[in-house]
Amino acid sequence: MAHLMLLVLVLSALQWPRSCKPEHVCSKASGDKSLLLCFKDTLDEQTRATLSSWNDSGHPSSWRGIVWNKRSDLVLKLNLTGAGLSGKLWPVWCRLPLLQFADFSNNNLSGHLTFDGCQYNASSRLQVLNLRNNSLSGSIPQSISTIRALKYLNLGQNDLTGSIPQGLWNLVQLRELDLGGNALSGSIPPELGYLTNLQHLILASNQLSGSIPPEISNCTLLRKMALMRNVLSGEISSSIGNLSNLRILALTANNLTGNLPPSFSGLTSLKMLDVGYNSLSGPFPDAVKNMASLRYLSVSTNRMEGPIPPWLGNFTNLRHLILYRNRFTGSIPPQLGSLNYLKFPMKPQFDPDLSGVQLQNNLSPSGGDAAKILSYSYDFFPTVLDLCENKLSGSIPPELGQLQNLQHLWLCDNMLSGPIPSTLADATRLILLQLYDNQLSGQIPPQLTSLTSLSYFNVSNNNLSGPIPTSAQFSTFNDISAFAGNPGLCGSLLNKACTVEPEDSSSLSKEHENGNFVDGKAFAVGVAVGLCGGFWAVMSLVSESSVIWLTKRIRYYLQTVGLLKQKEVI
């Protein structure tokens, strides 16, 4: 029987995976080399191979991710970002007396976050601790307060729960605090105001509730504040207007109400303002008028109403204007055609304040292929003018064609009428043009075929007529739904024959330059009358065309424009 029990134990040991060295064993180790080797042994066996250079025979100065101080023979920096590590994280940083920098980000380290041992290392010099994008769970312990020298703390993109601990208030040297992408709950503590050296505050994508505490205005050095994708409520604190150094303010996707307070006029250094996906109401906020440095502005998916202010055209640095899904009324201000950055082609400029900022799901959710644009970092974000899903009326301003640096133009789901301006062909960098769900009439301007970068085009559910262009980029558009809901449209894509063929591009270009378009049907009548009456009949033709244009009594324009001989097209 004893032999049988021994055999069972042996078999069990063989089947059980080799266990990692327990944490309490490592806590008894001494010396930086021994501590690092013990840390390696706490990891899963499969991932220890990534630290194969960590061995007894070599000096730590040659180990992967190690910066060693030759004078003290101790480790200064530990950089293991993206090293493929997995297993339960043991806080080795608490045991290394001269360690200043510890980066374990982008691995698969698990377990509860602990700072055991840090309280015994009062001379800790650790300034940077980065555990971003791992699988850490549990709450953030109060013992975090023992790392008094911390200037950079990143615990983002983990599975941390519970509230923001009071222990953070003791870290008065903190300049950057990132707790985003977890499941933290409760309110934002007013004690955040104690961190007067804080420059970056990232609490995005959690479950934080309550209002934004006014005490946050004590952090006067703040340059970036990202509180988006929480369940914050109430009106936006007017105290935020005192943060004159603020470059980025992202409050997207909360339950905030009211409007931007007048004090926001003091945010003159702001480069990015995103308050989309809330319940803000009232007119377009006048406080924005003083934010001349803005590059990115979004008030999308709120309840704002009234006209779009013409003074937005004075924003010389604005690259992204996103106003969709509100209740804005009136016409589109032609002054938007004066947005300098969108007007003059130029190379993208590196902006350290905005570089790497994630802009996900902040654009019109149109579905289909166009959904590909919905996930960008700011570095690669397209230039955007988005006015979709409002109650805008009137015609599309021809001045929008002046925006030669514009890549995405969204005017869908409004009450816009009149023709599609042929001048949009001058916006030569257009990649996406969405005009669906309006009351636009006339034909699709053949001049748009010159937009060689155009990849997404949708004019469905309008009153357009005539042939769908088939040359250049338009030959690649094979989605029928992008043209549906326009009974007057025809062409091979719709399997509907057109009675006439559009003119060649050279004639159209000349007409476009002169700004003089003559209705095709009226011209045909003019030619017939001209054979009998000559010059005066042609003059009456021009008058008739003008009347048709101004009164808009004809719903569908005919297929041709100009002086080409008409031919039947199958």
Side-chain angles (χ1 to χ4, degrees):
M1 179 63 70
H3 291 84
L4 180 60
M5 290 296 295
L6 180 60
L7 179 62
V8 170
L9 290 174
V10 171
L11 290 175
S12 299
L14 291 175
Q15 293 176 358
W16 194 263
R18 290 180 60 185
S19 60
C20 302
K21 183 174 290 187
E23 297 176 27
H24 71 273
V25 174
C26 285
S27 64
K28 298 178 181 179
S30 61
D32 284 16
K33 181 175 182 179
S34 297
L35 287 165
L36 292 172
L37 288 174
C38 204
F39 167 74
K40 174 185 175 181
D41 287 343
T42 64
L43 302 173
D44 291 349
E45 181 179 6
Q46 184 177 356
T47 62
R48 294 178 205 167
T50 63
L51 299 180
S52 58
S53 60
W54 292 28
N55 54 67
D56 287 319
S57 60
H59 190 273
S61 60
S62 63
W63 292 359
R64 175 179 178 176
I66 298 292
V67 175
W68 199 263
N69 187 310
K70 295 181 180 180
R71 179 179 300 178
S72 63
D73 204 32
L74 296 172
V75 62
L76 291 178
K77 293 185 179 181
L78 186 56
N79 188 352
L80 295 174
T81 181
L85 306 180
S86 63
K88 192 173 182 180
L89 177 65
W90 179 66
V92 64
W93 57 83
C94 286
R95 304 282 178 168
L96 304 171
L98 289 189
L99 188 68
Q100 299 176 14
F101 180 101
D103 191 344
F104 299 91
S105 61
N106 303 315
N107 285 290
N108 192 31
L109 298 169
S110 59
H112 287 192
L113 182 63
T114 69
F115 295 92
D116 294 341
C118 288
Q119 64 270 31
Y120 304 119
N121 192 2
S123 62
S124 174
R125 302 183 184 184
L126 187 63
Q127 298 181 22
V128 174
L129 179 59
N130 190 351
L131 299 172
R132 180 180 178 83
N133 194 23
N134 279 282
S135 300
L136 302 175
S137 58
S139 60
I140 303 173
Q142 297 289 353
S143 56
I144 195 172
S145 63
T146 57
I147 315 179
R148 298 292 183 89
L150 266 185
K151 294 182 179 179
Y152 178 100
L153 176 62
N154 194 331
L155 305 178
Q157 302 300 316
N158 280 284
D159 300 313
L160 300 174
T161 56
S163 59
I164 299 175
Q166 293 181 353
L168 284 175
W169 320 148
N170 292 324
L171 306 181
V172 294
Q173 301 298 321
L174 269 185
R175 297 178 183 175
E176 298 190 25
L177 174 61
D178 189 342
L179 305 179
N182 284 287
L184 300 175
S185 57
S187 60
I188 299 176
E191 291 82 359
L192 266 177
Y194 295 158
L195 305 178
T196 55
N197 288 303
L198 204 60
Q199 297 180 17
H200 291 182
L201 175 62
I202 314 297
L203 303 177
S205 300
N206 280 287
Q207 300 169 16
L208 299 172
S209 57
S211 60
I212 301 173
E215 290 82 359
I216 208 165
S217 63
N218 294 329
C219 304
T220 56
L221 298 180
L222 268 180
R223 297 171 64 92
K224 178 192 296 186
M225 182 161 66
L227 308 180
M228 63 275 199
R229 292 188 288 276
N230 280 286
V231 284
L232 300 173
S233 58
E235 296 190 357
I236 300 174
S237 174
S238 61
S239 65
I240 294 178
N242 298 326
L243 299 174
S244 57
N245 290 304
L246 208 58
R247 304 301 199 268
I248 296 175
L249 178 59
L251 305 177
T252 326
N254 282 285
N255 297 323
L256 300 171
T257 56
N259 205 325
L260 298 188
S263 62
F264 269 42
S265 60
L267 301 180
T268 55
S269 298
L270 210 59
K271 295 183 179 181
M272 175 181 175
L273 174 62
D274 193 340
V275 293
Y277 291 92
N278 280 286
S279 298
L280 302 179
S281 57
F284 194 94
D286 283 338
V288 174
K289 194 171 185 178
N290 289 346
M291 301 178 185
S293 298
L294 276 179
R295 270 88 164 147
Y296 180 100
L297 172 60
S298 174
V299 299
S300 65
T301 316
N302 280 287
R303 300 172 183 173
M304 293 185 179
E305 57 191 9
I308 297 174
W311 47 257
L312 281 173
N314 298 328
F315 281 43
T316 57
N317 296 304
L318 199 61
R319 309 172 191 180
H320 321 283
L321 177 58
I322 303 175
L323 311 182
Y324 82 87
R325 201 177 290 163
N326 277 281
R327 301 170 182 175
F328 293 123
T329 55
S331 59
I332 299 174
Q335 290 86 348
L336 295 185
S338 299
L339 292 168
N340 273 9
Y341 189 91
L342 301 181
K343 189 172 181 179
F344 302 109
M346 58 186 71
K347 294 181 179 180
Q349 298 173 352
F350 176 77
D351 192 327
D353 288 317
L354 295 171
S355 180
V357 172
Q358 293 298 311
L359 302 171
Q360 296 181 345
N361 302 318
N362 286 5
L363 285 180
S364 296
S366 64
D369 288 336
K372 295 175 183 178
I373 71 168
L374 296 182
S375 181
Y376 280 93
S377 68
Y378 188 90
D379 312 60
F380 305 101
F381 202 61
T383 50
V384 176
L385 175 58
D386 189 344
L387 309 180
C388 279
E389 297 186 46
N390 283 285
K391 298 181 180 180
L392 300 172
S393 57
S395 59
I396 299 174
E399 290 84 353
L400 296 186
Q402 299 174 15
L403 304 179
Q404 297 180 48
N405 204 34
L406 182 64
Q407 294 173 287
H408 291 180
L409 177 58
W410 300 76
L411 303 177
C412 53
D413 203 355
N414 281 288
M415 297 181 289
L416 300 173
S417 58
I420 299 174
S422 59
T423 55
L424 291 182
D426 296 331
T428 53
R429 293 194 66 200
L430 272 180
I431 297 172
L432 181 148
L433 179 57
Q434 302 286 54
L435 305 176
Y436 59 85
D437 290 345
N438 279 290
Q439 300 167 16
L440 300 172
S441 58
Q443 70 172 8
I444 299 173
Q447 291 83 1
L448 298 184
T449 60
S450 65
L451 295 173
T452 56
S453 297
L454 193 64
S455 301
Y456 307 103
F457 180 74
N458 193 326
V459 291
S460 60
N461 300 319
N462 280 285
N463 297 324
L464 298 171
S465 59
I468 298 174
T470 57
S471 60
Q473 280 296 101
F474 276 75
S475 65
T476 66
F477 299 153
N478 53 17
D479 184 2
I480 297 177
S481 65
F483 301 92
N486 293 280
L489 284 180
C490 60
S492 57
L493 179 62
L494 301 176
N495 198 24
K496 181 179 179 181
C498 297
T499 57
V500 288
E501 185 178 81
E503 291 189 359
D504 64 62
S505 58
S506 61
S507 296
L508 289 168
S509 298
K510 185 176 294 185
E511 295 276 355
H512 177 53
E513 291 175 4
N514 294 333
N516 181 23
F517 294 87
V518 183
D519 183 270
K521 182 178 180 181
F523 174 73
V525 173
V527 170
V529 175
L531 294 174
C532 301
F535 174 79
W536 292 108
V538 175
M539 294 301 296
S540 68
L541 159 66
V542 176
S543 176
E544 179 184 352
S545 177
S546 299
V547 171
I548 291 173
W549 178 271
L550 294 173
T551 61
K552 302 179 182 176
R553 292 180 180 177
I554 292 181
R555 184 176 183 182
Y556 304 120
Y557 285 94
L558 295 176
Q559 288 82 357
T560 59
V561 179
L563 306 178
L564 281 184
K565 181 179 179 180
Q566 297 179 354
K567 296 186 293 184
E568 185 172 344
V569 178
I570 304 298

